[in-house]
Amino acid sequence: GGRPRPAYLVRSSDGTVVNGELVRMGYAKPAIRGGSAGGGGGLPVGLADGLASLQREAKELGLGMYQRCDLEDGNGASASVAVVDFDNQFEPLDVTIGTRWGADGGTTFLQQKDDRAAQTIPPPNPGDTKGCSDFQTYEDALQWYERYFPWYGDVARLDRDNDGVPCPGLPHTTSQDRYRMKIPTKSKLGVTDPEVKSPNR
């Protein structure tokens, strides 16, 4: 708990302050959290001011993140612009990276941030409304299966032999990003069914 403490790194071989080198080359910006400039919060006296001075020099020299390039518009006029706007590059994104873990080692995927909160809210029970013939690929069936299984179990009975592989007869997708191996994750590995969540209905 409490406020974060400022930190600095010193290379033991020559006493170089690593924070200062990164700022001097334009690869870092000084930020003091949990302390005050001029040595407060555990920083050596003058370090905060020194980092600020190094940042100004890096900006003036156009080093690292402060590099600029000349761009021409359609009328032949040119303007010098920053290569990267580091002050605005870390705006919140609408998506985040999630991971689905399985016997095949897991796969990463992009999901809307709102989906993370929605994971705690059960989807409506679809009932036994799908069959393997309703899906084009194994990955489509698996996506549907994994969406509802934690809440309602294998409600559409896509996994007939209860091994965690729904619709094993379907072909794989041709998309490498969506490909998932057909590896049994339950009874064939001696793993029992997970406890199905009990949504408020």
Side-chain angles (χ1 to χ4, degrees), residues 151-162:
W151 300 101
Y152 309 107
D154 186 14
V155 66
R157 296 178 293 174
L158 301 179
D159 180 15
R160 296 287 180 169
D161 56 1
N162 194 37

Side-chain angles (χ1 to χ4, degrees), residues 17-128:
V17 178
V18 176
N19 308 54
E21 278 298 289
L22 292 173
V23 173
R24 182 184 67 79
M25 294 184 293
Y27 295 128
K29 296 169 59 176
I32 300 175
R33 301 182 181 89
S36 58
L43 287 177
V45 175
L47 179 57
D49 293 336
L51 293 176
S53 176
L54 290 172
Q55 182 185 29
R56 285 192 297 271
E57 291 178 12
K59 284 183 176 181
E60 291 171 2
L61 296 173
L63 301 177
M65 70 178 81
Y66 305 112
Q67 292 182 39
R68 304 183 70 84
C69 65
D70 294 327
L71 296 181
E72 289 189 4
D73 61 18
N75 300 320
S78 64
S80 179
V81 297
V83 175
V84 179
D85 185 356
F86 268 73
D87 289 328
N88 296 320
Q89 85 160 29
F90 297 111
E91 294 178 356
L93 299 176
D94 293 332
V95 296
T96 185
I97 296 177
T99 303
R100 293 190 184 95
W101 298 104
D104 57 353
T107 58
T108 57
F109 62 97
L110 290 178
Q111 65 179 8
Q112 295 294 322
K113 283 190 174 179
D114 291 341
D115 288 350
R116 291 183 299 174
Q119 288 176 358
T120 62
I121 302 174
N125 188 336
D128 188 5

